[in-house]
DNA sequence: GAACCATCGGCTACCACATACACCG
DNA sequence: ATCGGTGTATGTGGTAGCCGATGGT
Protein backbone atom coordinates (compact mmCIF):
# COMPACT_ATOMS: atom_id res chain seq x y z
CA UNK A 1 0.00 0.00 0.00
CA UNK A 2 1.22 3.47 -0.76
CA UNK A 3 2.95 5.41 -3.47
CA UNK A 4 1.26 3.61 -6.32
CA UNK A 5 -2.47 3.28 -6.76
CA UNK A 6 -3.62 -0.08 -5.44
CA UNK A 7 -6.15 -0.38 -8.20
CA UNK A 8 -4.41 0.58 -11.42
CA UNK A 9 -0.92 0.10 -10.08
CA UNK A 10 0.13 2.87 -12.37
CA UNK A 11 -0.68 6.30 -11.06
CA UNK A 12 0.61 7.67 -7.78
CA UNK A 13 -1.90 7.13 -5.03
CA UNK A 14 -3.47 10.22 -3.62
CA UNK A 15 -6.40 9.24 -1.49
CA UNK A 16 -6.98 6.58 1.08
CA UNK A 17 -10.17 4.59 1.37
CA UNK A 18 -10.60 3.12 4.78
CA UNK A 19 -13.39 0.79 3.77
CA UNK A 20 -11.22 -0.76 1.13
CA UNK A 21 -7.99 -0.19 2.99
CA UNK A 22 -6.69 0.99 -0.32
CA UNK A 23 -4.58 3.81 -1.65
CA UNK A 24 -5.98 5.09 -4.89
CA UNK A 25 -5.29 7.68 -7.50
CA UNK A 26 -8.08 10.13 -8.13
CA UNK A 27 -9.16 8.46 -11.29
CA UNK A 28 -9.46 5.01 -9.76
CA UNK A 29 -11.02 6.52 -6.69
CA UNK A 30 -13.81 7.82 -8.84
CA UNK A 31 -14.12 4.66 -10.83
CA UNK A 32 -14.15 2.36 -7.86
CA UNK A 33 -16.43 4.46 -5.76
CA UNK A 34 -18.92 5.25 -8.43
CA UNK A 35 -19.59 1.55 -8.83
CA UNK A 36 -22.60 1.42 -6.59
CA UNK A 37 -24.46 3.14 -3.84
CA UNK A 38 -22.54 1.40 -1.12
CA UNK A 39 -19.15 2.16 -2.47
CA UNK A 40 -20.18 5.78 -2.79
CA UNK A 41 -20.51 5.84 0.95
CA UNK A 42 -16.92 4.89 1.51
CA UNK A 43 -15.20 7.56 3.48
CA UNK A 44 -11.97 8.65 1.90
CA UNK A 45 -9.36 11.18 2.68
CA UNK A 46 -5.95 12.20 1.50
CA UNK A 47 -3.05 9.88 1.89
CA UNK A 48 -0.37 10.75 4.37
CA UNK A 49 2.45 12.24 2.36
CA UNK A 50 5.02 11.07 4.81
CA UNK A 51 4.35 7.40 5.38
CA UNK A 52 2.20 6.99 2.27
CA UNK A 53 0.27 4.27 3.94
CA UNK A 54 -2.20 5.88 6.28
CA UNK A 55 -5.03 8.31 5.84
CA UNK A 56 -4.03 11.89 6.41
CA UNK A 57 -5.33 13.48 9.51
CA UNK A 58 -4.08 17.02 9.41
CA UNK A 59 -2.48 19.34 6.91
CA UNK A 60 0.58 21.17 8.07
CA UNK A 61 0.38 24.61 6.57
CA UNK A 62 4.03 25.30 7.24
CA UNK A 63 5.40 22.18 5.63
CA UNK A 64 2.56 21.91 3.14
CA UNK A 65 2.18 18.23 3.73
CA UNK A 66 -0.73 16.06 4.72
CA UNK A 67 0.03 13.85 7.64
CA UNK A 68 -1.55 10.92 9.35
CA UNK A 69 -1.92 11.10 13.06
CA UNK A 70 1.21 9.19 13.74
CA UNK A 71 3.36 11.23 11.42
CA UNK A 72 1.76 14.36 12.76
CA UNK A 73 2.72 13.38 16.25
CA UNK A 74 6.18 12.39 15.20
CA UNK A 75 6.75 15.55 13.25
CA UNK A 76 5.08 17.96 15.58
CA UNK A 77 6.09 16.65 18.89
CA UNK A 78 5.83 19.21 21.63
CA UNK A 79 9.53 18.91 22.22
CA UNK A 80 10.33 20.17 18.78
CA UNK A 81 10.02 23.57 17.25
CA UNK A 82 7.62 22.11 14.76
CA UNK A 83 4.99 21.83 17.44
CA UNK A 84 3.97 25.38 16.71
CA UNK A 85 3.18 24.63 13.10
CA UNK A 86 -0.26 25.58 12.06
CA UNK A 87 -2.28 22.60 11.10
CA UNK A 88 -5.75 22.09 9.81
CA UNK A 89 -7.88 19.05 9.88
CA UNK A 90 -8.39 17.16 6.68
CA UNK A 91 -11.93 16.28 5.89
CA UNK A 92 -12.97 12.97 4.59
CA UNK A 93 -15.45 12.71 1.81
CA UNK A 94 -17.68 10.18 0.21
CA UNK A 95 -19.39 9.98 -3.11
CA UNK A 96 -17.22 10.67 -6.11
CA UNK A 97 -16.46 14.34 -6.24
CA UNK A 98 -14.49 16.05 -8.92
CA UNK A 99 -11.19 17.63 -8.10
CA UNK A 100 -12.93 20.94 -8.05
CA UNK A 101 -15.23 19.68 -5.40
CA UNK A 102 -12.32 18.31 -3.52
CA UNK A 103 -10.75 21.70 -3.68
CA UNK A 104 -13.77 23.09 -1.98
CA UNK A 105 -13.36 20.54 0.76
CA UNK A 106 -9.64 20.98 1.03
CA UNK A 107 -8.64 24.53 0.42
CA UNK A 108 -5.08 23.46 -0.18
CA UNK A 109 -6.06 20.85 -2.70
CA UNK A 110 -5.35 21.38 -6.33
CA UNK A 111 -5.27 18.62 -8.85
CA UNK A 112 -5.79 18.89 -12.55
CA UNK A 113 -9.05 17.24 -13.28
CA UNK A 114 -8.81 16.04 -16.80
CA UNK A 115 -11.98 14.14 -16.42
CA UNK A 116 -13.95 17.24 -15.65
CA UNK A 117 -17.09 16.32 -13.89
CA UNK A 118 -16.90 13.20 -11.88
CA UNK A 119 -18.21 10.12 -13.51
CA UNK A 120 -21.09 9.52 -11.25
CA UNK A 121 -21.97 13.14 -11.23
CA UNK A 122 -22.34 13.00 -14.94
CA UNK A 123 -24.36 9.88 -14.65
CA UNK A 124 -26.57 10.85 -11.86
CA UNK A 125 -26.44 14.56 -11.73
CA UNK A 126 -26.95 14.23 -8.08
CA UNK A 127 -23.67 14.89 -6.51
CA UNK A 128 -23.34 17.94 -4.43
CA UNK A 129 -21.35 18.89 -1.49
CA UNK A 130 -23.45 19.23 1.54
CA UNK A 131 -22.13 21.90 3.76
CA UNK A 132 -25.03 21.91 6.06
CA UNK A 133 -23.37 22.28 9.36
CA UNK A 134 -26.48 21.40 11.24
CA UNK A 135 -26.87 18.20 9.40
CA UNK A 136 -23.92 16.41 10.79
CA UNK A 137 -25.64 13.10 10.67
CA UNK A 138 -25.91 11.81 7.22
CA UNK A 139 -28.50 9.79 5.58
CA UNK A 140 -26.83 7.06 3.64
CA UNK A 141 -29.69 6.97 1.28
CA UNK A 142 -29.05 10.51 0.23
CA UNK A 143 -26.60 10.64 -2.54
CA UNK A 144 -24.56 13.56 -1.49
CA UNK A 145 -20.99 13.95 -0.55
CA UNK A 146 -20.94 13.61 3.14
CA UNK A 147 -19.07 16.64 4.12
CA UNK A 148 -19.22 16.38 7.79
CA UNK A 149 -18.37 19.24 9.93
CA UNK A 150 -15.93 19.11 12.73
CA UNK A 151 -16.35 21.62 15.43
CA UNK A 152 -13.03 22.66 16.75
CA UNK A 153 -13.06 22.79 20.48
CA UNK A 154 -10.73 23.36 23.27
CA UNK A 155 -9.40 20.19 24.75
CA UNK A 156 -11.13 20.53 28.05
CA UNK A 157 -14.16 22.27 26.83
CA UNK A 158 -16.14 19.14 26.64
CA UNK A 159 -19.55 20.18 27.52
CA UNK A 160 -20.13 23.69 26.45
CA UNK A 161 -19.80 23.31 22.77
CA UNK A 162 -22.32 22.37 20.24
CA UNK A 163 -25.02 22.18 22.78
CA UNK A 164 -27.53 22.14 20.03
CA UNK A 165 -26.69 18.68 18.99
CA UNK A 166 -25.45 17.71 22.39
CA UNK A 167 -22.10 16.47 21.31
CA UNK A 168 -19.11 17.47 19.43
CA UNK A 169 -16.95 16.16 16.74
CA UNK A 170 -13.37 16.99 17.01
CA UNK A 171 -10.32 15.84 15.24
CA UNK A 172 -7.95 16.97 17.90
CA UNK A 173 -6.12 14.30 19.79
CA UNK A 174 -7.15 15.24 23.24
CA UNK A 175 -4.03 14.42 25.08
CA UNK A 176 -1.91 16.38 22.73
CA UNK A 177 -1.43 20.07 22.55
CA UNK A 178 -4.20 21.17 20.29
CA UNK A 179 -2.88 22.02 16.88
CA UNK A 180 -3.40 25.54 15.82
CA UNK A 181 -6.18 24.78 13.55
CA UNK A 182 -6.67 27.06 10.67
CA UNK A 183 -9.98 28.32 9.71
CA UNK A 184 -11.63 25.30 8.35
CA UNK A 185 -15.26 24.90 7.83
CA UNK A 186 -15.38 21.22 7.88
CA UNK A 187 -13.72 18.42 9.67
CA UNK A 188 -13.00 14.85 9.19
CA UNK A 189 -15.52 12.20 9.62
CA UNK A 190 -13.88 9.09 10.72
CA UNK A 191 -11.29 10.71 12.86
CA UNK A 192 -13.88 12.43 14.85
CA UNK A 193 -13.82 11.61 18.48
CA UNK A 194 -17.22 12.12 19.93
CA UNK A 195 -17.40 13.47 23.39
CA UNK A 196 -20.23 13.13 25.74
CA UNK A 197 -21.42 14.95 28.73
CA UNK A 198 -23.33 12.22 30.42
CA UNK A 199 -25.01 14.48 32.86
CA UNK A 200 -26.72 16.37 30.16
CA UNK A 201 -29.59 15.52 27.96
CA UNK A 202 -29.35 16.02 24.27
CA UNK A 203 -32.27 17.81 22.78
CA UNK A 204 -32.48 17.20 19.14
CA UNK A 205 -30.19 14.27 19.20
CA UNK A 206 -31.96 11.17 18.13
CA UNK A 207 -30.73 7.74 18.91
CA UNK A 208 -30.13 7.26 15.27
CA UNK A 209 -27.85 10.20 15.25
CA UNK A 210 -26.07 8.85 18.21
CA UNK A 211 -25.67 5.34 17.04
CA UNK A 212 -24.82 6.25 13.53
CA UNK A 213 -21.91 8.21 14.67
CA UNK A 214 -20.91 5.65 17.19
CA UNK A 215 -20.40 3.23 14.39
CA UNK A 216 -21.27 0.58 16.84
CA UNK A 217 -20.78 -2.13 14.35
CA UNK A 218 -17.23 -1.04 13.95
CA UNK A 219 -16.37 -1.00 17.57
CA UNK A 220 -14.31 -3.76 18.93
CA UNK A 221 -16.64 -5.74 21.01
CA UNK A 222 -14.97 -8.31 23.02
CA UNK A 223 -16.20 -8.81 26.49
CA UNK A 224 -15.60 -12.39 27.16
CA UNK A 225 -11.98 -11.76 27.90
CA UNK A 226 -12.70 -9.34 30.58
CA UNK A 227 -12.59 -11.68 33.47
CA UNK A 228 -9.57 -13.51 32.30
CA UNK A 229 -7.81 -10.30 31.64
CA UNK A 230 -8.80 -8.33 34.67
CA UNK A 231 -9.41 -11.15 37.04
CA UNK A 232 -12.53 -9.49 38.29
CA UNK A 233 -16.16 -9.75 37.49
CA UNK A 234 -18.37 -7.19 35.96
CA UNK A 235 -20.10 -6.11 39.08
CA UNK A 236 -18.80 -2.58 38.83
CA UNK A 237 -20.87 -2.02 35.82
CA UNK A 238 -24.05 -2.24 37.73
CA UNK A 239 -22.84 0.46 40.02
CA UNK A 240 -22.09 2.55 37.04
CA UNK A 241 -25.45 1.87 35.59
CA UNK A 242 -27.14 2.75 38.82
CA UNK A 243 -25.21 5.95 38.90
CA UNK A 244 -26.56 6.78 35.52
CA UNK A 245 -23.44 6.04 33.60
CA UNK A 246 -24.75 4.19 30.62
CA UNK A 247 -28.16 5.71 30.71
CA UNK A 248 -26.62 9.09 30.75
CA UNK A 249 -24.40 8.17 27.90
CA UNK A 250 -27.10 6.79 25.74
CA UNK A 251 -30.15 8.37 27.13
CA UNK A 252 -31.92 5.08 26.91
CA UNK A 253 -32.54 1.95 28.79
CA UNK A 254 -32.55 -0.01 25.62
CA UNK A 255 -29.41 -1.95 26.02
CA UNK A 256 -29.50 -3.55 22.65
CA UNK A 257 -27.40 -0.82 21.22
CA UNK A 258 -25.92 0.35 24.43
CA UNK A 259 -24.78 -3.15 25.19
CA UNK A 260 -22.72 -3.30 22.12
CA UNK A 261 -21.10 -0.03 22.81
CA UNK A 262 -20.43 -0.46 26.44
CA UNK A 263 -19.10 -3.88 25.84
CA UNK A 264 -16.62 -2.16 23.69
CA UNK A 265 -15.81 -0.09 26.71
CA UNK A 266 -14.52 -3.06 28.57
CA UNK A 267 -12.81 -4.41 25.55
CA UNK A 268 -9.46 -3.31 26.75
CA UNK A 269 -7.10 -4.90 24.37
CA UNK A 270 -3.89 -6.47 25.34
CA UNK A 271 -1.92 -3.99 23.37
CA UNK A 272 -3.24 -1.19 25.45
CA UNK A 273 -1.66 -2.14 28.66
CA UNK A 274 -2.34 1.21 30.18
CA UNK A 275 -5.94 0.63 29.60
CA UNK A 276 -5.87 -2.59 31.47
CA UNK A 277 -5.27 -0.83 34.66
CA UNK A 278 -7.21 2.18 33.88
CA UNK A 279 -10.70 1.40 32.92
CA UNK A 280 -13.58 0.13 34.83
CA UNK A 281 -16.22 -2.03 33.36
CA UNK A 282 -18.93 0.11 32.06
CA UNK A 283 -21.86 -2.14 31.80
CA UNK A 284 -23.27 -5.39 32.81
CA UNK A 285 -25.24 -7.80 30.74
CA UNK A 286 -22.26 -9.92 30.15
CA UNK A 287 -24.53 -12.60 28.84
CA UNK A 288 -24.68 -10.97 25.48
CA UNK A 289 -20.98 -10.65 25.20
CA UNK A 290 -20.50 -13.71 23.12
CA UNK A 291 -22.84 -12.45 20.55
CA UNK A 292 -20.90 -9.32 20.04
CA UNK A 293 -17.36 -10.44 20.35
CA UNK A 294 -16.49 -9.88 16.79
CA UNK A 295 -13.90 -7.31 16.12
CA UNK A 296 -14.83 -5.26 13.16
CA UNK A 297 -12.48 -2.49 12.43
CA UNK A 298 -10.04 -0.20 13.95
CA UNK A 299 -12.50 2.35 15.08
CA UNK A 300 -12.16 3.87 18.43
CA UNK A 301 -14.57 5.90 20.37
CA UNK A 302 -13.26 7.92 23.14
CA UNK A 303 -15.73 9.15 25.66
CA UNK A 304 -14.92 11.78 28.12
CA UNK A 305 -17.20 11.69 31.07
CA UNK A 306 -16.17 14.93 32.54
CA UNK A 307 -18.71 14.69 35.25
CA UNK A 308 -17.25 11.53 36.62
CA UNK A 309 -13.66 12.45 35.82
CA UNK A 310 -13.29 9.17 34.12
CA UNK A 311 -13.09 8.02 30.60
CA UNK A 312 -14.06 5.03 28.65
CA UNK A 313 -12.08 3.99 25.70
CA UNK A 314 -13.43 1.91 22.89
CA UNK A 315 -10.53 0.36 21.18
CA UNK A 316 -10.52 -1.81 18.16
CA UNK A 317 -6.91 -2.75 18.43
CA UNK A 318 -6.08 -6.32 18.21
CA UNK A 319 -3.39 -7.92 20.17
CA UNK A 320 -1.35 -8.57 17.08
CA UNK A 321 -1.74 -5.13 15.71
CA UNK A 322 0.96 -2.61 15.66
CA UNK A 323 0.57 0.98 16.48
CA UNK A 324 1.18 1.84 12.91
CA UNK A 325 -1.67 -0.27 11.76
CA UNK A 326 -3.99 1.84 13.75
CA UNK A 327 -2.42 5.16 13.74
CA UNK A 328 -5.27 6.46 11.75
CA UNK A 329 -7.81 5.82 14.38
CA UNK A 330 -7.25 8.64 16.69
CA UNK A 331 -6.93 7.76 20.27
CA UNK A 332 -5.84 4.24 19.61
CA UNK A 333 -2.44 5.49 18.77
CA UNK A 334 -2.63 7.65 21.75
CA UNK A 335 -3.15 4.64 23.87
CA UNK A 336 -0.23 2.92 22.37
CA UNK A 337 2.16 5.75 22.32
CA UNK A 338 1.72 7.50 25.55
CA UNK A 339 0.30 7.61 28.96
CA UNK A 340 -3.40 7.16 29.20
CA UNK A 341 -4.99 10.55 29.25
CA UNK A 342 -7.47 9.74 31.91
CA UNK A 343 -7.21 9.37 35.60
CA UNK A 344 -7.19 5.68 36.33
CA UNK A 345 -9.97 4.76 38.68
CA UNK A 346 -7.75 2.12 40.11
CA UNK A 347 -4.11 2.59 40.67
CA UNK A 348 -1.27 0.74 39.11
CA UNK A 349 -0.65 -1.13 42.30
CA UNK A 350 -4.19 -2.28 42.66
CA UNK A 351 -3.48 -5.27 40.47
CA UNK A 352 -0.29 -7.18 41.07
CA UNK A 353 1.95 -6.76 38.08
CA UNK A 354 2.68 -10.46 37.83
CA UNK A 355 -0.99 -11.29 37.77
CA UNK A 356 -1.61 -8.63 35.24
CA UNK A 357 1.13 -9.67 32.89
CA UNK A 358 -0.02 -13.21 33.30
CA UNK A 359 -3.50 -12.25 32.38
CA UNK A 360 -2.30 -10.22 29.45
CA UNK A 361 -0.28 -13.15 28.17
CA UNK A 362 -3.23 -15.47 28.43
CA UNK A 363 -5.36 -12.92 26.75
CA UNK A 364 -2.95 -12.52 23.86
CA UNK A 365 -2.59 -16.22 23.38
CA UNK A 366 -6.28 -16.71 23.28
CA UNK A 367 -6.65 -13.85 20.92
CA UNK A 368 -4.15 -15.29 18.52
CA UNK A 369 -6.33 -18.29 18.03
CA UNK A 370 -9.27 -16.20 17.10
CA UNK A 371 -9.95 -14.56 13.82
CA UNK A 372 -11.80 -11.39 14.43
CA UNK A 373 -12.12 -9.50 11.29
CA UNK A 374 -12.04 -9.98 7.63
CA UNK A 375 -9.37 -7.87 6.14
CA UNK A 376 -9.50 -7.11 2.49
CA UNK A 377 -6.09 -8.12 1.22
CA UNK A 378 -6.61 -7.17 -2.35
CA UNK A 379 -8.56 -4.02 -2.93
CA UNK A 380 -8.65 -4.65 -6.64
CA UNK A 381 -10.37 -7.96 -6.15
CA UNK A 382 -12.83 -6.39 -3.85
CA UNK A 383 -13.49 -3.67 -6.36
CA UNK A 384 -14.18 -6.23 -9.03
CA UNK A 385 -16.37 -8.32 -6.78
CA UNK A 386 -18.28 -5.20 -5.90
CA UNK A 387 -19.26 -4.63 -9.50
CA UNK A 388 -19.66 -8.22 -10.60
CA UNK A 389 -23.07 -9.40 -11.67
CA UNK A 390 -24.77 -12.04 -9.58
CA UNK A 391 -27.57 -14.53 -9.48
CA UNK A 392 -28.82 -15.19 -6.00
CA UNK A 393 -25.61 -13.83 -4.65
CA UNK A 394 -23.43 -15.98 -6.83
CA UNK A 395 -21.19 -14.63 -9.48
CA UNK A 396 -22.27 -15.32 -12.99
CA UNK A 397 -20.28 -15.55 -16.16
CA UNK A 398 -19.87 -12.40 -18.09
CA UNK A 399 -22.64 -12.21 -20.59
CA UNK A 400 -24.93 -14.59 -18.76
CA UNK A 401 -28.28 -13.56 -17.46
CA UNK A 402 -28.12 -12.04 -14.02
CA UNK A 403 -30.63 -10.93 -11.47
CA UNK A 404 -28.49 -8.34 -9.78
CA UNK A 405 -26.10 -5.87 -11.24
CA UNK A 406 -24.44 -3.68 -8.67
CA UNK A 407 -23.84 -1.08 -11.31
CA UNK A 408 -27.37 -0.86 -12.59
CA UNK A 409 -29.21 -2.69 -9.87
CA UNK A 410 -31.52 -3.89 -12.53
CA UNK A 411 -32.55 -7.23 -13.83
CA UNK A 412 -31.43 -8.62 -17.08
CA UNK A 413 -34.36 -10.90 -17.56
C1' DG B 1 -40.48 -31.31 33.22
C1' DA B 2 -40.70 -33.11 28.45
C1' DA B 3 -41.98 -32.72 23.73
C1' DC B 4 -43.01 -30.18 19.81
C1' DC B 5 -42.97 -26.26 16.74
C1' DA B 6 -41.71 -21.64 15.02
C1' DT B 7 -38.42 -18.17 14.86
C1' DC B 8 -33.97 -16.20 14.92
C1' DG B 9 -29.16 -15.69 14.18
C1' DG B 10 -24.64 -17.50 12.97
C1' DC B 11 -22.04 -19.94 9.82
C1' DT B 12 -20.68 -21.67 5.34
C1' DA B 13 -20.75 -23.15 0.48
C1' DC B 14 -21.34 -21.43 -3.86
C1' DC B 15 -20.36 -18.82 -7.99
C1' DA B 16 -16.75 -16.26 -11.90
C1' DC B 17 -12.64 -14.50 -12.69
C1' DA B 18 -8.57 -11.48 -12.04
C1' DT B 19 -4.46 -11.99 -9.91
C1' DA B 20 -0.76 -13.91 -7.05
C1' DC B 21 2.31 -17.45 -7.01
C1' DA B 22 5.11 -21.52 -8.15
C1' DC B 23 7.27 -24.02 -11.48
C1' DC B 24 9.66 -25.02 -15.76
C1' DG B 25 12.32 -24.31 -19.93
C1' DA C 1 20.77 -15.16 -12.80
C1' DT C 2 16.98 -13.49 -15.43
C1' DC C 3 12.92 -13.72 -18.28
C1' DG C 4 8.68 -15.44 -20.32
C1' DG C 5 5.09 -18.90 -20.49
C1' DT C 6 2.01 -22.00 -18.14
C1' DG C 7 -0.77 -24.02 -14.58
C1' DT C 8 -2.72 -23.73 -10.04
C1' DA C 9 -4.37 -21.47 -5.88
C1' DT C 10 -6.42 -17.62 -3.84
C1' DG C 11 -9.67 -14.11 -2.71
C1' DT C 12 -13.57 -11.20 -3.39
C1' DG C 13 -19.26 -10.26 -1.95
C1' DG C 14 -24.29 -11.49 -1.77
C1' DT C 15 -27.34 -15.12 -1.13
C1' DA C 16 -29.40 -19.63 0.09
C1' DG C 17 -29.46 -23.15 3.06
C1' DC C 18 -28.19 -25.58 7.09
C1' DC C 19 -28.05 -25.95 12.01
C1' DG C 20 -28.18 -24.85 16.83
C1' DA C 21 -30.25 -21.86 20.26
C1' DT C 22 -34.23 -19.88 22.08
C1' DG C 23 -38.96 -19.09 23.36
C1' DG C 24 -43.81 -20.25 23.42
C1' DT C 25 -47.40 -23.69 23.80
Amino acid sequence: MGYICDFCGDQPSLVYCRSDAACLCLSCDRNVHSANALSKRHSRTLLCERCNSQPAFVRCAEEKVSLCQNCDWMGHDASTSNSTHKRQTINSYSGCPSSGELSSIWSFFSQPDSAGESACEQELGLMSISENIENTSWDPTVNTISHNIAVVVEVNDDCNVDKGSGWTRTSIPEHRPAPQLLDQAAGSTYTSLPKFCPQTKYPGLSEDDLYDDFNIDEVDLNLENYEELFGVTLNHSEELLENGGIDSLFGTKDMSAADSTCQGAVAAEGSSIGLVNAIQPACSNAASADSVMSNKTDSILYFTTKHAHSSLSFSGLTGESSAGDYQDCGASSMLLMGEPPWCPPCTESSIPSATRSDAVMRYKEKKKTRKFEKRVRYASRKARADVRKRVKGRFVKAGDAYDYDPLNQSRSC
Side-chain angles (χ1 to χ4, degrees):
Chain A
M1 193 186 306
Y3 294 105
I4 299 300
C5 172
D6 286 339
F7 191 72
C8 65
D10 183 33
Q11 298 296 316
S13 55
L14 191 64
V15 300
Y16 182 88
C17 174
R18 283 171 60 87
S19 302
D20 295 329
C23 304
L24 302 169
C25 65
L26 273 187
S27 175
C28 291
D29 175 50
R30 277 195 216 106
N31 290 337
V32 169
H33 292 105
S34 63
N36 56 52
L38 288 179
S39 61
K40 283 191 180 75
R41 293 166 56 188
H42 288 183
S43 176
R44 285 104 69 200
T45 188
L46 283 176
L47 193 61
C48 174
E49 295 178 53
R50 191 151 293 173
C51 66
N52 286 290
S53 65
Q54 295 294 323
F57 165 69
V58 296
R59 174 84 177 178
C60 176
E62 315 277 341
E63 302 175 59
K64 291 185 170 52
V65 290
S66 306
L67 300 172
C68 66
Q69 200 159 37
N70 199 39
C71 293
D72 175 44
W73 291 357
M74 300 280 202
H76 298 101
D77 188 87
S79 62
T80 70
S81 59
N82 292 343
S83 62
T84 59
H85 283 183
K86 292 181 187 304
R87 282 162 280 161
Q88 63 183 121
T89 55
I90 294 178
N91 314 307
S92 62
Y93 67 94
S94 57
C96 39
S98 66
S99 64
E101 290 166 338
L102 289 175
S103 298
S104 69
I105 302 174
W106 303 317
S107 57
F108 52 83
F109 181 87
S110 63
Q111 170 88 1
D113 185 9
S114 58
E117 292 289 328
S118 59
C120 64
E121 186 176 8
Q122 289 177 329
E123 290 176 11
L124 304 176
L126 293 172
M127 303 306 296
S128 65
I129 296 175
S130 167
E131 302 229 47
N132 183 357
I133 295 179
E134 295 301 318
N135 186 21
T136 56
S137 66
W138 61 91
D139 182 350
T141 62
V142 177
N143 192 1
T144 60
I145 300 168
S146 299
H147 190 191
N148 302 294
I149 308 305
V151 178
V152 177
V153 297
E154 292 295 323
V155 170
N156 294 323
D157 197 10
D158 296 338
C159 301
N160 57 5
V161 291
D162 201 13
K163 292 220 171 81
S165 63
W167 69 313
T168 298
R169 299 163 185 273
T170 175
S171 299
I172 306 171
E174 293 183 50
H175 73 304
R176 304 273 304 181
Q180 299 175 28
L181 295 169
L182 299 176
D183 182 24
Q184 177 81 5
S188 64
T189 299
Y190 61 84
T191 55
S192 296
L193 305 176
K195 296 179 180 181
F196 288 86
C197 304
Q199 74 276 26
T200 61
K201 298 301 180 184
Y202 300 106
L205 177 63
S206 68
E207 289 183 16
D208 286 343
D209 293 334
L210 189 63
Y211 297 142
D212 277 354
D213 287 299
F214 270 173
N215 282 331
I216 286 173
D217 60 339
E218 295 187 352
V219 176
D220 176 28
L221 305 170
N222 186 355
L223 186 59
E224 69 168 7
N225 302 302
Y226 183 83
E227 285 194 30
E228 80 173 272
L229 179 58
F230 292 88
V232 295
T233 60
L234 295 168
N235 295 336
H236 297 295
S237 57
E238 293 181 3
E239 296 176 24
L240 200 149
L241 274 178
E242 288 173 7
N243 293 335
I246 295 299
D247 287 344
S248 298
L249 273 172
F250 298 96
T252 175
K253 291 281 187 182
D254 178 10
M255 294 299 292
S256 60
D259 271 356
S260 301
T261 308
C262 66
Q263 281 157 7
V266 297
E269 302 286 347
S271 57
S272 302
I273 304 303
L275 204 57
V276 172
N277 298 325
I279 72 168
Q280 292 285 337
C283 72
S284 57
N285 203 350
S288 60
D290 286 344
S291 65
V292 292
M293 54 175 283
S294 62
N295 179 344
K296 296 296 185 181
T297 70
D298 52 358
S299 299
I300 183 169
L301 299 174
Y302 179 66
F303 292 1
T304 302
T305 58
K306 189 176 183 180
H307 178 67
H309 297 287
S310 63
S311 300
L312 306 174
S313 180
F314 294 63
S315 172
L317 297 175
T318 64
E320 307 89 275
S321 302
S322 65
D325 290 340
Y326 294 91
Q327 59 187 308
D328 58 320
C329 61
S332 58
S333 298
M334 169 176 72
L335 296 174
L336 291 168
M337 298 176 64
E339 291 294 319
W342 55 78
C343 299
C346 55
T347 63
E348 182 79 13
S349 59
S350 63
I351 300 175
S353 59
T355 304
R356 188 177 66 247
S357 59
D358 219 12
V360 170
M361 280 188 62
R362 274 186 282 120
Y363 169 77
K364 284 184 174 179
E365 279 205 7
K366 189 173 181 180
K367 191 142 194 172
K368 279 182 184 175
T369 65
R370 200 178 292 143
K371 186 177 182 180
F372 281 106
E373 63 180 290
K374 180 180 182 181
R375 298 181 68 90
V376 176
R377 294 173 56 187
Y378 302 103
S380 60
R381 292 181 180 182
K382 171 180 165 58
R384 294 185 187 282
D386 279 340
V387 301
R388 190 157 288 161
K389 296 177 177 64
R390 307 163 190 272
V391 172
K392 293 183 178 179
R394 297 181 178 185
F395 298 130
V396 297
K397 289 182 181 178
D400 281 8
Y402 57 89
D403 63 4
Y404 173 70
D405 181 356
L407 290 174
N408 302 326
Q409 298 188 8
S410 61
R411 289 178 173 274
S412 68
C413 49

